[in-house]
Amino acid sequence: MTLTGPIKIKSKAVAQEFLDSFDSFLFDCDGVLWLGSHLLPSIKETLKLLTDLGKKLIFVTNNSTKSRAAYTKKFAGFGIEVSEDQIFTSGYASAVYVRDFLKLQPGKDKVWVFGESGISEELSLMGYESLGGGDPRLDETFDFKTSPFLVNGLDPDVHCVVAGLDTKVNYHRLAVSLQYLQKEDSVHFVGTNVDSTFPQKGFIFPGAGSTIASLACSSGRTPVYCGKPNINMLNTIVSAKNLDKSKCCMVGDRLNTDIRFGVEGSLGGTLLVLTGIETEERALEEDGDHPQPKYYAEKLGDVYELTSS
Amino acid sequence: MTLTGPIKIKSKAVAQEFLDSFDSFLFDCDGVLWLGSHLLPSIKETLKLLTDLGKKLIFVTNNSTKSRAAYTKKFAGFGIEVSEDQIFTSGYASAVYVRDFLKLQPGKDKVWVFGESGISEELSLMGYESLGGGDPRLDETFDFKTSPFLVNGLDPDVHCVVAGLDTKVNYHRLAVSLQYLQKEDSVHFVGTNVDSTFPQKGFIFPGAGSTIASLACSSGRTPVYCGKPNINMLNTIVSAKNLDKSKCCMVGDRLNTDIRFGVEGSLGGTLLVLTGIETEERALEEDGDHPQPKYYAEKLGDVYELTSS
């Protein structure tokens, strides 16, 4: 039988075939495992099943606001034990990019952060001093004559701006970030992730991509993006976890980031779950502006519910 | 003699020819008349000379943070008497667009403002209630569960978002603006001006265009821009002041906004002054990404200094 189009996981046989096809699973988190602070059905059971079967579990999120350490606490809060080295955030991927691709020197070179602690904490663990970010002096109304970030000139040791989602975005942060970005010859421009929005409780709110777009516009520069679906993120994971890509499955709720990440990264398979922002109709679209998943399911928990019934 | 390329105003004869060629002058303000709070040399004298010669003077600025009323006060502070109807800001042009092109109903339809008082004051003068803008409740940290702009739903009478420069930009303002922009069928999207940056005391700071870019990215929408070099602005002026375009000269310090505005608007001429962000080299470039001015001068005051010597 030739299968065309995505396969829906809705029987025990298909669920079992899905499980047998891969030895590693990469999961997006929000919209797949949980919605905000609400764990989705049968998630704990599904993750335990996979662990018991000897599968490798890796968690890959474009959320740069939390560090990996903070993520392990979020998992623990749901009663799920996950170690830090199973987690890859776009903030961590950006820090890895700064270290391994840009080869900035820890203890010497500094990074200007436009974003939350999930970026600066990861940089700090690698030995990089970061400026900006959540510094409360940036909460003050901007005045170029008094801003402590401008009065004594820019810090000449800053060689990269890493920008991500920052719910404390204000003119002070935008203006100082722009000053660093204007040093095109000596300051790199890294964006955590391209997502223009994110869903929350029925709303759609501005995402990292939309504030990075503002900095890209004012500076006339294009950042390098490190989160999904950028291949930098996948290379980091594959190398760190020593994975066989053909035996990996990416599980996500977004066609244009998660599924694209798996398809363009040549992973063995992809699973779209419909607990996030996509619909069955979109999953089955052949001529859409997105790749098709290999598998799709109403929810990730169906994998457990179908195989254990 | 065939003249090719821009003519520099550096002799009495050329200055006199320049004066004789036009009966109306449209001036950009910052970088042409003043730099911030510092009036440039011989500006008062030049404006008086033009007035004495019976020329019409019109002031056209992409700054949407101040209303026309506030601009007359700025002029008065320099000892220059200018009436409100000689001034066209991008905030006023946006309000005119809302009234004359979108035909929103005063007293009924409302406008959500992402920007400063220069927009809401002009809308108010036309009878439109505006929401958002400088409302201090938007200065509060954003929480969708408590935001007074979301808890009772969006205002169904809002049929336009006007976005401009807002130095109070924050996540609350961006997030609520996005909720209105998501109502694509019933809410128009107007941007005051496209300038990605503006110069101030040797710095380059983020301009209206860069924050509008953020909203455009998150909403996936393209705004209609009303400021220079958009033809909407010129049409508003020509119609309001009953001008003969062939006898008008646009005077500005930016090739890509001011001079483009004059050239694409088919005005009789353009004058670039070098007191703002452009250089003589740029003015003379033939293959640049910008139109060439008809005339250029070191400063606007040269018109007075050369003809009165």
Side-chain angles (χ1 to χ4, degrees), chain B residues 6 30 57 80 87 95 105 145 196 198 202 270:
Chain B
D30 206 28
L57 308 190
I80 302 169
I87 299 171
Q105 291 183 51
K145 293 187 290 290
S196 59
F198 65 89
T270 52

PDB file of all heavy atoms in Angstrom, chain B residues 6 30 57 80 87 95 105 145 196 198 202 270:
ATOM      1  N   PRO B   6      21.894  68.184  -9.672  1.00  0.00           N
ATOM      2  CA  PRO B   6      21.435  69.218  -8.740  1.00  0.00           C
ATOM      3  C   PRO B   6      22.257  70.500  -8.841  1.00  0.00           C
ATOM      4  O   PRO B   6      23.475  70.464  -9.047  1.00  0.00           O
ATOM      5  CB  PRO B   6      21.644  68.559  -7.371  1.00  0.00           C
ATOM      6  CG  PRO B   6      21.683  67.098  -7.638  1.00  0.00           C
ATOM      7  CD  PRO B   6      22.313  66.957  -8.983  1.00  0.00           C
ATOM      8  N   ASP B  30      12.500  69.578  11.257  1.00  0.00           N
ATOM      9  CA  ASP B  30      13.722  69.198  11.971  1.00  0.00           C
ATOM     10  C   ASP B  30      14.819  68.868  10.962  1.00  0.00           C
ATOM     11  O   ASP B  30      14.613  68.107  10.023  1.00  0.00           O
ATOM     12  CB  ASP B  30      13.445  68.000  12.889  1.00  0.00           C
ATOM     13  CG  ASP B  30      14.409  67.954  14.070  1.00  0.00           C
ATOM     14  OD1 ASP B  30      14.900  69.020  14.488  1.00  0.00           O
ATOM     15  OD2 ASP B  30      14.680  66.850  14.576  1.00  0.00           O
ATOM     16  N   LEU B  57       3.956  79.756   2.684  1.00  0.00           N
ATOM     17  CA  LEU B  57       4.855  78.871   3.436  1.00  0.00           C
ATOM     18  C   LEU B  57       4.033  77.785   4.116  1.00  0.00           C
ATOM     19  O   LEU B  57       3.042  78.076   4.797  1.00  0.00           O
ATOM     20  CB  LEU B  57       5.619  79.648   4.508  1.00  0.00           C
ATOM     21  CG  LEU B  57       6.367  80.917   4.079  1.00  0.00           C
ATOM     22  CD1 LEU B  57       7.271  81.402   5.217  1.00  0.00           C
ATOM     23  CD2 LEU B  57       7.192  80.649   2.830  1.00  0.00           C
ATOM     24  N   ILE B  80       8.885  82.886  15.760  1.00  0.00           N
ATOM     25  CA  ILE B  80       8.363  82.811  14.398  1.00  0.00           C
ATOM     26  C   ILE B  80       6.853  82.586  14.476  1.00  0.00           C
ATOM     27  O   ILE B  80       6.386  81.642  15.116  1.00  0.00           O
ATOM     28  CB  ILE B  80       9.011  81.646  13.612  1.00  0.00           C
ATOM     29  CG1 ILE B  80      10.538  81.814  13.567  1.00  0.00           C
ATOM     30  CG2 ILE B  80       8.440  81.549  12.196  1.00  0.00           C
ATOM     31  CD1 ILE B  80      11.282  80.604  13.047  1.00  0.00           C
ATOM     32  N   ILE B  87       0.527  74.237   8.988  1.00  0.00           N
ATOM     33  CA  ILE B  87       1.301  73.085   9.468  1.00  0.00           C
ATOM     34  C   ILE B  87       0.602  71.775   9.133  1.00  0.00           C
ATOM     35  O   ILE B  87      -0.608  71.626   9.351  1.00  0.00           O
ATOM     36  CB  ILE B  87       1.509  73.197  10.994  1.00  0.00           C
ATOM     37  CG1 ILE B  87       2.291  74.484  11.307  1.00  0.00           C
ATOM     38  CG2 ILE B  87       2.237  71.974  11.538  1.00  0.00           C
ATOM     39  CD1 ILE B  87       2.365  74.812  12.772  1.00  0.00           C
ATOM     40  N   ALA B  95      -5.208  61.640  10.502  1.00  0.00           N
ATOM     41  CA  ALA B  95      -6.583  61.970  10.900  1.00  0.00           C
ATOM     42  C   ALA B  95      -7.406  62.361   9.669  1.00  0.00           C
ATOM     43  O   ALA B  95      -8.569  61.960   9.539  1.00  0.00           O
ATOM     44  CB  ALA B  95      -6.578  63.087  11.943  1.00  0.00           C
ATOM     45  N   GLN B 105     -17.194  57.717  10.889  1.00  0.00           N
ATOM     46  CA  GLN B 105     -18.184  58.694  11.338  1.00  0.00           C
ATOM     47  C   GLN B 105     -17.789  59.330  12.668  1.00  0.00           C
ATOM     48  O   GLN B 105     -17.739  58.637  13.679  1.00  0.00           O
ATOM     49  CB  GLN B 105     -19.548  58.027  11.507  1.00  0.00           C
ATOM     50  CG  GLN B 105     -20.182  57.596  10.198  1.00  0.00           C
ATOM     51  CD  GLN B 105     -21.567  57.014  10.438  1.00  0.00           C
ATOM     52  OE1 GLN B 105     -22.410  57.624  11.094  1.00  0.00           O
ATOM     53  NE2 GLN B 105     -21.779  55.823   9.917  1.00  0.00           N
ATOM     54  N   LYS B 145      -5.503  38.924  31.768  1.00  0.00           N
ATOM     55  CA  LYS B 145      -6.626  38.642  32.662  1.00  0.00           C
ATOM     56  C   LYS B 145      -7.144  39.901  33.351  1.00  0.00           C
ATOM     57  O   LYS B 145      -8.277  39.938  33.816  1.00  0.00           O
ATOM     58  CB  LYS B 145      -6.212  37.606  33.718  1.00  0.00           C
ATOM     59  CG  LYS B 145      -5.933  36.228  33.130  1.00  0.00           C
ATOM     60  CD  LYS B 145      -5.690  35.165  34.188  1.00  0.00           C
ATOM     61  CE  LYS B 145      -4.379  35.323  34.935  1.00  0.00           C
ATOM     62  NZ  LYS B 145      -3.172  35.043  34.127  1.00  0.00           N
ATOM     63  N   SER B 196      12.250  54.661   9.566  1.00  0.00           N
ATOM     64  CA  SER B 196      12.674  53.624  10.515  1.00  0.00           C
ATOM     65  C   SER B 196      13.477  54.194  11.674  1.00  0.00           C
ATOM     66  O   SER B 196      13.578  53.562  12.721  1.00  0.00           O
ATOM     67  CB  SER B 196      13.479  52.554   9.790  1.00  0.00           C
ATOM     68  OG  SER B 196      14.609  53.136   9.188  1.00  0.00           O
ATOM     69  N   PHE B 198      15.262  58.200  13.430  1.00  0.00           N
ATOM     70  CA  PHE B 198      15.425  59.645  13.311  1.00  0.00           C
ATOM     71  C   PHE B 198      16.695  60.047  14.042  1.00  0.00           C
ATOM     72  O   PHE B 198      17.108  59.392  15.005  1.00  0.00           O
ATOM     73  CB  PHE B 198      14.203  60.403  13.844  1.00  0.00           C
ATOM     74  CG  PHE B 198      13.966  60.246  15.317  1.00  0.00           C
ATOM     75  CD1 PHE B 198      14.540  61.111  16.236  1.00  0.00           C
ATOM     76  CD2 PHE B 198      13.170  59.217  15.793  1.00  0.00           C
ATOM     77  CE1 PHE B 198      14.317  60.974  17.590  1.00  0.00           C
ATOM     78  CE2 PHE B 198      12.944  59.063  17.153  1.00  0.00           C
ATOM     79  CZ  PHE B 198      13.518  59.946  18.054  1.00  0.00           C
ATOM     80  N   GLY B 202      23.492  63.553  17.211  1.00  0.00           N
ATOM     81  CA  GLY B 202      24.564  62.622  16.880  1.00  0.00           C
ATOM     82  C   GLY B 202      24.186  61.164  17.054  1.00  0.00           C
ATOM     83  O   GLY B 202      24.952  60.270  16.695  1.00  0.00           O
ATOM     84  N   THR B 270      12.596  70.879  -5.917  1.00  0.00           N
ATOM     85  CA  THR B 270      12.972  70.399  -4.585  1.00  0.00           C
ATOM     86  C   THR B 270      14.292  71.056  -4.194  1.00  0.00           C
ATOM     87  O   THR B 270      15.132  71.344  -5.051  1.00  0.00           O
ATOM     88  CB  THR B 270      13.183  68.865  -4.588  1.00  0.00           C
ATOM     89  OG1 THR B 270      14.090  68.529  -5.638  1.00  0.00           O
ATOM     90  CG2 THR B 270      11.870  68.108  -4.785  1.00  0.00           C
TER      91      THR B 270
END
